[in-house]
Amino acid sequence: MKNILIGLLSVWLLPAAAVAQPLMLSQAQCREMALQNNEDLQKADNAYEQARLDKLIAFTSYLPKFDGNFTTAYMLENMDVLAYQLKMKGTYMAGITLTQPIYTGGKIRTGNRLARIGKDCADESRRKTRMQVIADADCAYWTYIAVNEKIKMLQTICRQLDTIYTQTKQCVDAQMATENDLLRIEAKRSEIYYQLQKARNGGDLCRLSLCSVLGLELETDIVPTDTVIPVTPPAEMDESISQRPELKLLEKQIEANRQQIKMTRADILPTVGLSVGYTYYGNLKLDGMATDGMGNYFPFTQEFKAGFTVGMASVSVPLFHWGEGLKKIKKARLSLDNARLDLQKNARLLTIEVRQAIQNVTDGYNMIKTAELGQKQAGENLRVMTNRYNASMCTLTDLLDAETQWQTASSNLIEAQSQYRIYQTEYLRASGRLE
């Protein structure tokens, strides 16, 4: 019975244990997951699909339109027509019409061009959103790793201080050190514990941010597989912004405004259309008295039903609208000028942004080299001071100062490495090359 209960308990706890397993993720997996779950990117995909459908809809304007119609009438009172009565009780009329535009002043062609531009803009907007999602995922991922590395570093310092405390306690017991030394170590240890708790709180916030970016449940425990922040020298970088989706969107806006001028001009041009229809009517009756020509009258009823074909051509020519069309064209040209000014202004801003990104990458790499040297020196100083303290050749103050210097240098290196990876991603985004 005991074995059965243990087995049932194990089966019951198995799903909970499976759920509690941490999620192991690399940088590439984070990017993929963020792209799959991001709501803004899904909306951008929907917008692109809408633009693609708009392009297909615009093309149908070239094609003839078929329309069907059906009309029925029921007149309670008959109509007198000469000596007869016209009955329209249930009279019906049904038909089909084909309409083909011949010339619309260029509206159909311009509308198709605008739809194509709209599809291109939706594609660039989707690419812009995709790059931003990747950049956000990288930033959240490397920030989370940096915090975890700081936690590990602080835990190492805690262990070192525990060792120093134990050694100093032994010296106090042997009356080779004072209680004041223990108090100073405890104060330093309390300070590190406080910083460790803050780092853990920050790590949890970073985990929540990463879960949000990846579209995961906020309770998900994420363990990065990139335990070492890889650093490579920056490759050759250029200031070209030709691949930026923002720049392409501004260029498309200029092209759209040019087409809008043509669309406005089409309003003051003639339009020509052709339509062909077939209509069938029935249940139209004529009642009355008819004569046989010899003075004899007899009841007469005749039902009319027939079909007919109609072809029509229409031409519409705007004659005088108080200059409305010309004013609209002038207004559209001003919108084109504004689009050009927006391109000119924002091209400068985009260039500044990519230059700043290049500078950040270069400075970030130099900061890593400086931080590595500082951490190496601080580590060597800590090793020397530890040996000297154990040999009673330096004071506790010197040892604790060495610990503080090593902590600061290690923290600087972690921040420099993680920030450099973020700078690299930001440069690719700023130059429009982040894929």
Side-chain angles (χ1 to χ4, degrees), residues 263-281:
M263 184 70 77
T264 305
R265 185 181 292 115
D267 290 336
I268 62 176
L269 297 177
T271 58
V272 180
L274 177 67
S275 64
V276 178
Y278 176 80
T279 302
Y280 185 87
Y281 64 91

PDB file of all heavy atoms in Angstrom, residues 263-281:
ATOM      1  N   MET A 263      -3.975  61.677 -59.905  1.00  0.00           N
ATOM      2  CA  MET A 263      -5.343  61.297 -59.551  1.00  0.00           C
ATOM      3  C   MET A 263      -6.241  62.527 -59.450  1.00  0.00           C
ATOM      4  O   MET A 263      -7.400  62.518 -59.906  1.00  0.00           O
ATOM      5  CB  MET A 263      -5.334  60.532 -58.227  1.00  0.00           C
ATOM      6  CG  MET A 263      -6.691  60.001 -57.789  1.00  0.00           C
ATOM      7  SD  MET A 263      -7.279  58.641 -58.808  1.00  0.00           S
ATOM      8  CE  MET A 263      -6.282  57.294 -58.157  1.00  0.00           C
ATOM      9  N   THR A 264      -5.715  63.596 -58.870  1.00  0.00           N
ATOM     10  CA  THR A 264      -6.494  64.837 -58.758  1.00  0.00           C
ATOM     11  C   THR A 264      -6.718  65.459 -60.121  1.00  0.00           C
ATOM     12  O   THR A 264      -7.813  65.991 -60.409  1.00  0.00           O
ATOM     13  CB  THR A 264      -5.752  65.826 -57.844  1.00  0.00           C
ATOM     14  OG1 THR A 264      -5.484  65.192 -56.590  1.00  0.00           O
ATOM     15  CG2 THR A 264      -6.595  67.070 -57.608  1.00  0.00           C
ATOM     16  N   ARG A 265      -5.707  65.416 -61.002  1.00  0.00           N
ATOM     17  CA  ARG A 265      -5.854  65.980 -62.344  1.00  0.00           C
ATOM     18  C   ARG A 265      -6.906  65.221 -63.146  1.00  0.00           C
ATOM     19  O   ARG A 265      -7.584  65.794 -63.999  1.00  0.00           O
ATOM     20  CB  ARG A 265      -4.502  65.939 -63.068  1.00  0.00           C
ATOM     21  CG  ARG A 265      -4.531  66.622 -64.431  1.00  0.00           C
ATOM     22  CD  ARG A 265      -3.186  66.545 -65.132  1.00  0.00           C
ATOM     23  NE  ARG A 265      -2.187  67.337 -64.440  1.00  0.00           N
ATOM     24  CZ  ARG A 265      -1.118  66.840 -63.857  1.00  0.00           C
ATOM     25  NH1 ARG A 265      -0.920  65.521 -63.854  1.00  0.00           N
ATOM     26  NH2 ARG A 265      -0.239  67.619 -63.268  1.00  0.00           N
ATOM     27  N   ALA A 266      -7.052  63.909 -62.861  1.00  0.00           N
ATOM     28  CA  ALA A 266      -8.027  63.110 -63.601  1.00  0.00           C
ATOM     29  C   ALA A 266      -9.454  63.574 -63.348  1.00  0.00           C
ATOM     30  O   ALA A 266     -10.349  63.324 -64.170  1.00  0.00           O
ATOM     31  CB  ALA A 266      -7.876  61.640 -63.223  1.00  0.00           C
ATOM     32  N   ASP A 267      -9.674  64.277 -62.214  1.00  0.00           N
ATOM     33  CA  ASP A 267     -11.029  64.751 -61.915  1.00  0.00           C
ATOM     34  C   ASP A 267     -11.504  65.812 -62.898  1.00  0.00           C
ATOM     35  O   ASP A 267     -12.720  66.033 -63.029  1.00  0.00           O
ATOM     36  CB  ASP A 267     -11.077  65.309 -60.495  1.00  0.00           C
ATOM     37  CG  ASP A 267     -10.936  64.221 -59.445  1.00  0.00           C
ATOM     38  OD1 ASP A 267     -11.262  63.058 -59.755  1.00  0.00           O
ATOM     39  OD2 ASP A 267     -10.498  64.525 -58.328  1.00  0.00           O
ATOM     40  N   ILE A 268     -10.587  66.501 -63.578  1.00  0.00           N
ATOM     41  CA  ILE A 268     -11.006  67.557 -64.515  1.00  0.00           C
ATOM     42  C   ILE A 268     -10.896  67.104 -65.974  1.00  0.00           C
ATOM     43  O   ILE A 268     -11.039  67.905 -66.893  1.00  0.00           O
ATOM     44  CB  ILE A 268     -10.165  68.834 -64.309  1.00  0.00           C
ATOM     45  CG1 ILE A 268      -8.682  68.564 -64.582  1.00  0.00           C
ATOM     46  CG2 ILE A 268     -10.354  69.368 -62.895  1.00  0.00           C
ATOM     47  CD1 ILE A 268      -7.819  69.814 -64.498  1.00  0.00           C
ATOM     48  N   LEU A 269     -10.641  65.818 -66.194  1.00  0.00           N
ATOM     49  CA  LEU A 269     -10.564  65.262 -67.542  1.00  0.00           C
ATOM     50  C   LEU A 269     -11.845  64.514 -67.885  1.00  0.00           C
ATOM     51  O   LEU A 269     -12.564  64.048 -66.989  1.00  0.00           O
ATOM     52  CB  LEU A 269      -9.364  64.320 -67.646  1.00  0.00           C
ATOM     53  CG  LEU A 269      -7.977  64.960 -67.431  1.00  0.00           C
ATOM     54  CD1 LEU A 269      -6.886  63.898 -67.499  1.00  0.00           C
ATOM     55  CD2 LEU A 269      -7.721  66.054 -68.452  1.00  0.00           C
ATOM     56  N   PRO A 270     -12.153  64.359 -69.167  1.00  0.00           N
ATOM     57  CA  PRO A 270     -13.367  63.636 -69.564  1.00  0.00           C
ATOM     58  C   PRO A 270     -13.275  62.160 -69.183  1.00  0.00           C
ATOM     59  O   PRO A 270     -12.185  61.601 -69.035  1.00  0.00           O
ATOM     60  CB  PRO A 270     -13.400  63.807 -71.089  1.00  0.00           C
ATOM     61  CG  PRO A 270     -12.494  64.945 -71.388  1.00  0.00           C
ATOM     62  CD  PRO A 270     -11.442  64.940 -70.328  1.00  0.00           C
ATOM     63  N   THR A 271     -14.433  61.536 -69.042  1.00  0.00           N
ATOM     64  CA  THR A 271     -14.516  60.092 -68.802  1.00  0.00           C
ATOM     65  C   THR A 271     -15.450  59.473 -69.823  1.00  0.00           C
ATOM     66  O   THR A 271     -16.467  60.082 -70.212  1.00  0.00           O
ATOM     67  CB  THR A 271     -15.027  59.788 -67.381  1.00  0.00           C
ATOM     68  OG1 THR A 271     -16.315  60.391 -67.207  1.00  0.00           O
ATOM     69  CG2 THR A 271     -14.066  60.328 -66.340  1.00  0.00           C
ATOM     70  N   VAL A 272     -15.087  58.283 -70.274  1.00  0.00           N
ATOM     71  CA  VAL A 272     -15.872  57.573 -71.281  1.00  0.00           C
ATOM     72  C   VAL A 272     -16.151  56.171 -70.764  1.00  0.00           C
ATOM     73  O   VAL A 272     -15.239  55.500 -70.253  1.00  0.00           O
ATOM     74  CB  VAL A 272     -15.124  57.502 -72.640  1.00  0.00           C
ATOM     75  CG1 VAL A 272     -15.972  56.764 -73.675  1.00  0.00           C
ATOM     76  CG2 VAL A 272     -14.775  58.896 -73.138  1.00  0.00           C
ATOM     77  N   GLY A 273     -17.423  55.743 -70.897  1.00  0.00           N
ATOM     78  CA  GLY A 273     -17.804  54.423 -70.443  1.00  0.00           C
ATOM     79  C   GLY A 273     -18.739  53.750 -71.412  1.00  0.00           C
ATOM     80  O   GLY A 273     -19.411  54.415 -72.224  1.00  0.00           O
ATOM     81  N   LEU A 274     -18.796  52.455 -71.363  1.00  0.00           N
ATOM     82  CA  LEU A 274     -19.659  51.664 -72.231  1.00  0.00           C
ATOM     83  C   LEU A 274     -20.394  50.652 -71.381  1.00  0.00           C
ATOM     84  O   LEU A 274     -19.811  50.022 -70.500  1.00  0.00           O
ATOM     85  CB  LEU A 274     -18.834  50.943 -73.299  1.00  0.00           C
ATOM     86  CG  LEU A 274     -19.592  50.004 -74.244  1.00  0.00           C
ATOM     87  CD1 LEU A 274     -20.545  50.794 -75.138  1.00  0.00           C
ATOM     88  CD2 LEU A 274     -18.617  49.197 -75.101  1.00  0.00           C
ATOM     89  N   SER A 275     -21.713  50.495 -71.654  1.00  0.00           N
ATOM     90  CA  SER A 275     -22.494  49.496 -70.927  1.00  0.00           C
ATOM     91  C   SER A 275     -23.450  48.797 -71.877  1.00  0.00           C
ATOM     92  O   SER A 275     -23.981  49.401 -72.810  1.00  0.00           O
ATOM     93  CB  SER A 275     -23.278  50.149 -69.777  1.00  0.00           C
ATOM     94  OG  SER A 275     -24.232  51.066 -70.289  1.00  0.00           O
ATOM     95  N   VAL A 276     -23.628  47.526 -71.656  1.00  0.00           N
ATOM     96  CA  VAL A 276     -24.531  46.685 -72.439  1.00  0.00           C
ATOM     97  C   VAL A 276     -25.384  45.901 -71.460  1.00  0.00           C
ATOM     98  O   VAL A 276     -24.860  45.345 -70.487  1.00  0.00           O
ATOM     99  CB  VAL A 276     -23.765  45.730 -73.369  1.00  0.00           C
ATOM    100  CG1 VAL A 276     -24.736  44.840 -74.137  1.00  0.00           C
ATOM    101  CG2 VAL A 276     -22.879  46.498 -74.331  1.00  0.00           C
ATOM    102  N   GLY A 277     -26.747  45.890 -71.730  1.00  0.00           N
ATOM    103  CA  GLY A 277     -27.615  45.189 -70.812  1.00  0.00           C
ATOM    104  C   GLY A 277     -28.742  44.452 -71.517  1.00  0.00           C
ATOM    105  O   GLY A 277     -29.138  44.814 -72.644  1.00  0.00           O
ATOM    106  N   TYR A 278     -29.204  43.442 -70.875  1.00  0.00           N
ATOM    107  CA  TYR A 278     -30.362  42.696 -71.372  1.00  0.00           C
ATOM    108  C   TYR A 278     -31.392  42.653 -70.263  1.00  0.00           C
ATOM    109  O   TYR A 278     -31.074  42.313 -69.119  1.00  0.00           O
ATOM    110  CB  TYR A 278     -29.969  41.278 -71.779  1.00  0.00           C
ATOM    111  CG  TYR A 278     -31.142  40.439 -72.211  1.00  0.00           C
ATOM    112  CD1 TYR A 278     -31.675  40.549 -73.490  1.00  0.00           C
ATOM    113  CD2 TYR A 278     -31.737  39.541 -71.321  1.00  0.00           C
ATOM    114  CE1 TYR A 278     -32.766  39.787 -73.879  1.00  0.00           C
ATOM    115  CE2 TYR A 278     -32.819  38.764 -71.698  1.00  0.00           C
ATOM    116  CZ  TYR A 278     -33.342  38.901 -72.973  1.00  0.00           C
ATOM    117  OH  TYR A 278     -34.436  38.160 -73.366  1.00  0.00           O
ATOM    118  N   THR A 279     -32.653  42.996 -70.609  1.00  0.00           N
ATOM    119  CA  THR A 279     -33.738  43.050 -69.632  1.00  0.00           C
ATOM    120  C   THR A 279     -34.924  42.233 -70.132  1.00  0.00           C
ATOM    121  O   THR A 279     -35.287  42.299 -71.314  1.00  0.00           O
ATOM    122  CB  THR A 279     -34.183  44.499 -69.391  1.00  0.00           C
ATOM    123  OG1 THR A 279     -33.071  45.259 -68.936  1.00  0.00           O
ATOM    124  CG2 THR A 279     -35.286  44.564 -68.347  1.00  0.00           C
ATOM    125  N   TYR A 280     -35.521  41.497 -69.233  1.00  0.00           N
ATOM    126  CA  TYR A 280     -36.712  40.707 -69.548  1.00  0.00           C
ATOM    127  C   TYR A 280     -37.807  41.101 -68.571  1.00  0.00           C
ATOM    128  O   TYR A 280     -37.577  41.191 -67.372  1.00  0.00           O
ATOM    129  CB  TYR A 280     -36.411  39.208 -69.413  1.00  0.00           C
ATOM    130  CG  TYR A 280     -37.564  38.334 -69.851  1.00  0.00           C
ATOM    131  CD1 TYR A 280     -37.719  37.964 -71.176  1.00  0.00           C
ATOM    132  CD2 TYR A 280     -38.493  37.861 -68.913  1.00  0.00           C
ATOM    133  CE1 TYR A 280     -38.783  37.160 -71.575  1.00  0.00           C
ATOM    134  CE2 TYR A 280     -39.549  37.058 -69.301  1.00  0.00           C
ATOM    135  CZ  TYR A 280     -39.684  36.712 -70.630  1.00  0.00           C
ATOM    136  OH  TYR A 280     -40.739  35.925 -71.025  1.00  0.00           O
ATOM    137  N   TYR A 281     -39.039  41.357 -69.129  1.00  0.00           N
ATOM    138  CA  TYR A 281     -40.166  41.733 -68.278  1.00  0.00           C
ATOM    139  C   TYR A 281     -41.336  40.805 -68.579  1.00  0.00           C
ATOM    140  O   TYR A 281     -41.432  40.203 -69.664  1.00  0.00           O
ATOM    141  CB  TYR A 281     -40.570  43.195 -68.503  1.00  0.00           C
ATOM    142  CG  TYR A 281     -41.091  43.494 -69.884  1.00  0.00           C
ATOM    143  CD1 TYR A 281     -42.465  43.398 -70.180  1.00  0.00           C
ATOM    144  CD2 TYR A 281     -40.236  43.874 -70.915  1.00  0.00           C
ATOM    145  CE1 TYR A 281     -42.945  43.669 -71.455  1.00  0.00           C
ATOM    146  CE2 TYR A 281     -40.699  44.147 -72.172  1.00  0.00           C
ATOM    147  CZ  TYR A 281     -42.067  44.045 -72.457  1.00  0.00           C
ATOM    148  OH  TYR A 281     -42.532  44.299 -73.723  1.00  0.00           O
TER     149      TYR A 281
END
